[in-house]
């Protein structure tokens, strides 16, 4: 039997949602909802391309087959790194990247650039995200789901009944 008002103690409970996001950028990026909220925030800061590039690189690392890797590498290059890129990221060394490397792709070919973007997000936008309305509102709604007013009212009623 599960009592709807019982909660495991916080020492046993694994962090979830905003609590987990607040512990590290890595945790935030592992959670699809966290990524969604972070993207929403970065869009307002005109830097959504950073997280999109990071995600594309993560996906690229999992790509199998030379032909698929070539296609994905070219797509990443054209979208984020080329001088004509629609969502160009600002990283050092991108000027040294030429389209010729796209012919012989390997899973970690974008790693240094991805690390630069990760650091930029970690030390710049992530800390602002944790103070943003988007994060704080999501945190508040999460807390309300965990402690709905009805449950608090029922608990108060129960305590009044047993304390009289």
């Amino acid at each position: 039997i599960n009592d709807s008002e019982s909660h495991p103690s916080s020492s046993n409970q694994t962090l979830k949602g905003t609590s987990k996001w607040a512990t590290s950028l890595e945790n935030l990026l592992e959670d699809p909802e966290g990524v969604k909220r972070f993207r929403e925030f970065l869009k307002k800061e005109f830097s959504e391309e950073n997280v999109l590039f990071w995600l594309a690189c993560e996906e690229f690392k999992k790509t199998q087959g030379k032909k698929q890797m070539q296609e994905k590498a070219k797509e990443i290059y054209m979208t984020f790194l080329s001088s004509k890129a629609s969502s160009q990221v600002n990283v050092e060394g991108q000027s040294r990247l030429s389209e010729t490397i796209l012919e012989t792709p390997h899973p970690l070919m974008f790693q240094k650039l991805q690390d630069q973007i990760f650091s930029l997000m970690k030390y710049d936008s992530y800390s602002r995200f944790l103070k943003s309305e988007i994060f704080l509102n999501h945190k508040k709604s999460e807390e309300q789901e965990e402690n709905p007013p009805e449950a608090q009212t029922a608990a108060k009623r129960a305590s009044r009944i047993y304390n009289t």
Side-chain angles (χ1 to χ4, degrees), residues 99-142:
E99 289 186 55
T100 55
I101 67 157
L102 302 176
E103 300 306 313
T104 55
H106 58 88
L108 300 177
M109 66 188 280
F110 297 116
Q111 190 64 52
K112 282 185 177 170
L113 301 176
Q114 184 185 15
D115 290 345
Q116 280 183 44
I117 289 298
F118 182 84
S119 288
L120 179 70
M121 291 189 301
K122 183 175 184 171
Y123 298 109
D124 185 39
S125 35
Y126 174 64
S127 56
R128 284 196 310 280
F129 170 70
L130 295 178
K131 297 172 191 154
S132 73
E133 250 181 60
I134 291 169
F135 176 80
L136 296 173
N137 288 342
H138 192 72
K139 184 177 181 179
K140 189 187 289 181
S141 69
E142 248 180 22

Side-chain angles (χ1 to χ4, degrees), residues 35-80:
V35 169
K36 179 181 169 188
R37 300 297 174 175
F38 193 46
R39 280 185 62 186
E40 203 178 307
F41 170 75
L42 291 177
K43 211 179 267 186
K44 289 183 175 188
E45 292 215 329
F46 305 102
S47 59
E48 183 188 22
E49 67 279 355
N50 290 336
V51 74
L52 294 176
F53 173 72
W54 188 89
L55 291 167
C57 291
E58 284 299 291
E59 196 60 38
F60 177 74
K61 291 176 194 174
K62 301 173 195 165
T63 305
Q64 301 291 311
K66 187 178 178 185
K67 185 87 178 119
Q68 288 89 331
M69 284 187 93
Q70 284 175 324
E71 288 170 10
K72 268 214 185 295
K74 184 172 181 158
E75 185 181 321
I76 289 172
Y77 180 81
M78 297 309 283
T79 306
F80 301 106

Side-chain angles (χ1 to χ4, degrees), residues 12-26:
N12 301 340
Q13 197 173 16
T14 55
L15 291 175
K16 61 182 190 225
T18 53
S19 301
K20 192 171 182 181
W21 304 349
T23 59
S24 73
L25 179 57
E26 290 87 341

Side-chain angles (χ1 to χ4, degrees), residues 5-15:
E5 286 185 28
S6 69
H7 295 287
S9 69
S10 59
S11 60
N12 301 340
Q13 197 173 16
T14 55
L15 291 175

